[in-house]
Amino acid sequence: LKTIMEQQDAKLIKQRQRKKKMKYGGIAFAITVIVTAIVILVNVVVGLLVERYPNAKIDLTSSNLYEVSDETIDYIKNLTEPVEIAVSSEESTLEKDSYLKMVTELLKKYQGYSSEIEVTYFDTTKDPDILSKYQSKYSGTISSDNVIVCSGDRVKVFPLSDFFDMDQDKLQYYYYGQVSLSECITAFKGEQSLTNAIMNVTDANPQRVGFIGTSNGNTIYSPTQGNQYAAKVLSTLLDDNGYDVTQLDMVTDTISPDDYDLLVLPAPVNDLTVDAIDKLETFLHNDGNLGKRLLYIADFTQGNTPNLDAFLKDWNIVVDNSYVIDDNSSTQQAVTLLVAGNQRMYAPIVNQTSSDYSSGLSNTSLPIIAPVSRPILTRDANNGRVVTDLLDTADSAYCVPLNLDSNSERAEAAWDAQNGVTTTEATEETTEETTTTTTFDAANAERSSYSVMAFSQNQAAQDNGQIESDVMVIGSMGYFDYYVAQDTSYNNADYFISALNTICGKSDNIVITAKDMNITSMNTTASQMKLLTTVVLVVFPAITIVIGIVIWARRKSR
């Protein structure tokens, strides 16, 4: 009887233990199911929220490639007119490319910030109706891989490649199939291109620019590689920042104040004719209504320009026949320049004379340099025209005279002087007289601060208000050198746009810096991606299984 009772007690204990295990096991299973369901639900909800509100995504890249600046957000949030952004490529195609996917993500951000923005993707061959809708409003040709930004009847079209800065040297190898396009990309300027395109089509009074690049069919500036790229950089910079740029010929085109607000004259290597000077004066006078601007860039490659010099003199500006150098280690910057034939040289670091013209800068601490810049002198005359300096060198700067006959000799003399080689012939022209010297001694040269960017205002009263026309002068095409203007470690491009916007009275003064692609922290190689996949899909599940077996074995042994 005792044995039977012991057996029953043991059986009862086992039943209780089994029920206890089932109870805890059931609870553990229920908790696992609930937690898994919550994780899945949260993932689905977050996915839907991100799809509905793309700006909720967190940017973990070191240079904030996917972030949009506060200035842009404020601007697009306050849009009052519908803006259509159409990409002539299928979204799925762009999503497959790691770089072009940045474009689709940026477009989602913009659409998330404003209900006025509508984004469409289309194929030019499959969707001819969409293509014809925009083509009817645009005078040029819309092709595949273009971005069309449209508001009302105003349209701006640019290629997808404009979302990126390219290394021009590598780009040449890309055309020969020696490198991939991704290897040419140096920076992402999607926000800059997109925001300024939106500003361009929504601006009620856009700034219309006549870029005088030729004279009677010939390039107006010195046809060196450095100046060609500098002119292209300047034109692109204006176009990227909300200016409507039209290429003009000084001789064959009509330059009417009814058609343009700003003229750009990039370092004419030969003097302008009297008729050309009359065109500039008529434009700026605007039948007495003023309200026009001229941007003139000087350069050491220019020849003698007495007509142009006389025109500038009427605006109380003299561009001296020399170029500025600063051999003080604390106020110079070593830089590789395309205008110097890809050579490394030293350029003066210049200072802003007033904060009134730098309100659009996102980082005021970055240096501005003035490579091979001719100094801008002010003529003292009581004619109502007031000159304002914008950028000045340090007091340790001095001027190297230029008077050689050919551009190549001028260039050689400039580089020789930069490296301490004495020139054998030089002349220095001042406002009133010309003095000839036979040697140049840098050690005994006069040290002073020189202006390298300035503008002259011609103001007049009209209808209880004030009107004005302006002439803005920059001392060197090197200011827009390819290696300088597109380098985000310098403020050359951003300061120029900020100052020009202020002078032109552009109220929407947004300057956006391109984002360096070389410091992106989230890039992964194929081997890194394989390792990450192995860890997530193999290692983590294996660890979970081992832990589960250990827990099961321990419970079974109890």
Side-chain angles (χ1 to χ4, degrees):
L1 181 61
K2 182 179 179 182
T3 301
I4 294 172
M5 290 180 66
E6 288 176 349
Q7 291 176 349
Q8 289 178 343
D9 289 342
K11 186 178 181 179
L12 183 61
I13 291 172
K14 287 183 178 180
Q15 288 176 347
R16 289 176 178 174
Q17 288 178 341
R18 189 179 299 113
K19 289 181 179 179
K20 187 176 181 180
K21 287 181 178 180
M22 290 180 65
K23 177 182 178 182
Y24 287 127
I27 293 174
F29 178 76
I31 291 174
T32 301
V33 171
I34 292 172
V35 170
T36 303
I38 291 174
V39 171
I40 294 174
L41 180 62
V42 169
N43 190 52
V44 171
V45 171
V46 169
L48 292 173
L49 286 174
V50 169
E51 189 68 26
R52 177 66 181 85
Y53 303 102
N55 48 325
K57 290 184 179 180
I58 299 175
D59 187 354
L60 298 178
T61 59
S62 60
S63 53
N64 296 322
L65 292 176
Y66 298 99
E67 287 300 304
V68 180
S69 67
D70 292 338
E71 292 83 0
T72 287
I73 294 172
D74 290 341
Y75 184 82
I76 62 179
K77 277 186 174 181
N78 292 317
L79 287 174
T80 57
E81 298 292 332
V83 175
E84 300 173 28
I85 302 175
V87 183
S88 57
S89 182
E90 293 181 339
E91 184 177 7
S92 58
T93 302
L94 303 185
E95 293 278 356
K96 294 175 184 177
D97 185 280
S98 59
Y99 287 99
L100 295 179
K101 182 177 172 62
M102 296 167 60
V103 176
T104 63
E105 291 294 330
L106 184 68
L107 292 175
K108 290 174 184 177
K109 286 266 189 182
Y110 276 60
Q111 196 169 18
Y113 281 119
S114 175
S115 59
E116 297 289 354
I117 294 178
E118 178 184 352
V119 178
T120 305
Y121 297 86
F122 71 97
D123 188 298
T124 54
T125 56
K126 297 178 183 178
D127 306 297
D129 292 340
I130 298 178
L131 176 62
S132 61
K133 170 187 174 183
Y134 296 111
Q135 188 65 75
S136 63
K137 301 179 181 181
Y138 183 61
S139 58
T141 301
I142 299 175
S143 57
S144 297
D145 298 328
N146 279 174
V147 179
I148 304 107
V149 181
C150 175
S151 182
D153 293 328
R154 300 198 64 198
V155 177
K156 185 173 179 61
V157 179
F158 56 93
L160 281 168
S161 58
D162 276 9
F163 278 91
F164 304 93
D165 274 338
M166 303 284 186
D167 184 316
Q168 295 298 317
D169 291 334
K170 288 184 179 179
L171 198 60
Q172 296 177 19
Y173 292 104
Y174 164 74
Y175 293 137
Y176 291 102
Q178 297 176 356
V179 299
S180 65
L181 184 61
S182 60
E183 293 179 86
C184 304
I185 296 174
T186 59
F188 182 56
K189 59 173 186 177
E191 182 188 351
Q192 181 188 61
S193 298
L194 198 54
T195 296
N196 287 310
I198 293 174
M199 292 173 61
N200 189 287
V201 299
T202 57
D203 191 345
N205 298 294
Q207 289 288 309
R208 302 158 301 170
V209 178
F211 195 99
I212 307 172
T214 58
S215 179
N216 205 21
N218 300 312
T219 302
I220 199 168
Y221 44 83
S222 175
T224 59
Q225 185 186 44
N227 277 7
Q228 287 178 350
Y229 274 108
K232 183 177 180 181
V233 166
L234 173 57
S235 179
T236 302
L237 189 62
L238 291 167
D239 187 68
D240 284 347
N241 284 276
Y243 291 82
D244 282 339
V245 180
T246 301
Q247 297 296 324
L248 295 179
D249 189 282
M250 185 79 256
V251 176
T252 60
D253 285 331
T254 300
I255 301 177
S256 171
D258 294 333
D259 298 328
Y260 307 102
D261 303 295
L262 168 68
L263 294 181
V264 178
L265 183 62
V269 67
N270 297 313
D271 197 16
L272 299 186
T273 64
V274 174
D275 288 341
I277 295 295
D278 287 342
K279 282 186 177 182
L280 298 181
E281 291 177 339
T282 300
F283 172 81
L284 290 167
H285 185 254
N286 190 19
D287 291 330
N289 296 312
L290 304 185
K292 302 299 173 180
R293 277 100 191 164
L294 169 68
L295 168 63
Y296 166 63
I297 303 100
D299 198 56
F300 76 96
T301 58
Q302 293 175 277
N304 292 326
T305 55
N307 292 337
L308 184 54
D309 293 344
F311 165 79
L312 293 173
K313 186 177 178 181
D314 285 341
W315 286 82
N316 296 341
I317 289 177
V318 175
V319 180
D320 194 55
N321 190 34
S322 61
Y323 92 106
V324 182
I325 190 171
D326 190 341
D327 53 14
N328 188 323
S329 60
S330 63
T331 52
Q332 65 176 353
Q333 177 72 48
V335 60
T336 299
L337 295 173
L338 197 58
V339 296
N342 287 319
Q343 295 183 33
R344 195 163 181 81
M345 63 175 293
Y346 291 94
I349 298 174
V350 293
N351 306 306
Q352 302 174 36
T353 60
S354 171
S355 60
D356 294 342
Y357 302 91
S358 59
S359 59
L361 296 184
S362 58
N363 185 354
T364 57
S365 64
L366 296 177
I368 304 172
I369 60 175
V372 206
S373 179
R374 295 174 64 182
I376 301 168
L377 311 178
T378 301
R379 174 176 174 263
D380 189 12
N382 187 21
N383 58 7
R385 296 176 178 180
V386 180
V387 179
T388 301
D389 286 340
L390 295 175
L391 295 176
D392 287 349
T393 67
D395 292 336
S396 52
Y398 61 92
C399 292
V400 177
L402 293 170
N403 82 316
L404 299 175
D405 294 333
S406 69
N407 291 331
S408 60
E409 288 177 325
R410 287 173 182 267
E412 184 179 355
W415 312 142
D416 286 347
Q418 177 67 62
N419 292 284
V421 179
T422 301
T423 53
T424 57
E425 293 185 11
T427 61
E428 180 177 348
E429 293 182 335
T430 62
T431 305
E432 303 297 337
E433 61 182 0
T434 301
T435 303
T436 302
T437 61
T438 56
T439 60
F440 175 74
D441 183 4
N444 294 319
E446 181 182 355
R447 309 278 168 152
S448 181
S449 175
Y450 294 94
S451 174
V452 296
M453 182 185 294
F455 76 101
S456 178
Q457 298 168 289
N458 181 30
Q459 298 179 333
Q462 185 182 70
D463 298 331
N464 298 322
Q466 197 170 51
I467 56 175
E468 70 177 66
S469 281
D470 307 304
V471 172
M472 183 178 182
V473 180
I474 299 175
S476 173
M477 290 287 280
Y479 184 94
F480 300 101
D481 186 89
Y482 173 79
Y483 293 123
V484 175
Q486 299 196 101
D487 190 334
T488 55
S489 61
Y490 297 110
N491 253 344
N492 278 46
D494 290 351
Y495 177 79
F496 164 71
I497 289 297
S498 178
L500 186 64
N501 284 349
T502 303
I503 293 170
C504 291
K506 279 177 67 71
S507 57
D508 300 316
N509 194 348
I510 302 177
V511 178
I512 304 162
T513 304
K515 297 169 182 176
D516 195 340
M517 297 288 291
N518 296 320
I519 58 173
T520 306
S521 62
M522 296 303 289
N523 287 346
T524 55
T525 63
S527 59
Q528 291 172 334
M529 183 59 71
K530 184 177 180 180
L531 176 62
L532 183 61
T533 302
T534 302
V535 170
V536 173
L537 298 182
V538 179
V539 177
F540 284 171
I543 292 174
T544 304
I545 292 172
V546 170
I547 292 173
I549 292 173
V550 171
I551 294 174
W552 173 80
R554 290 186 61 186
R555 286 181 177 178
K556 185 178 180 181
S557 64
R558 289 179 181 176

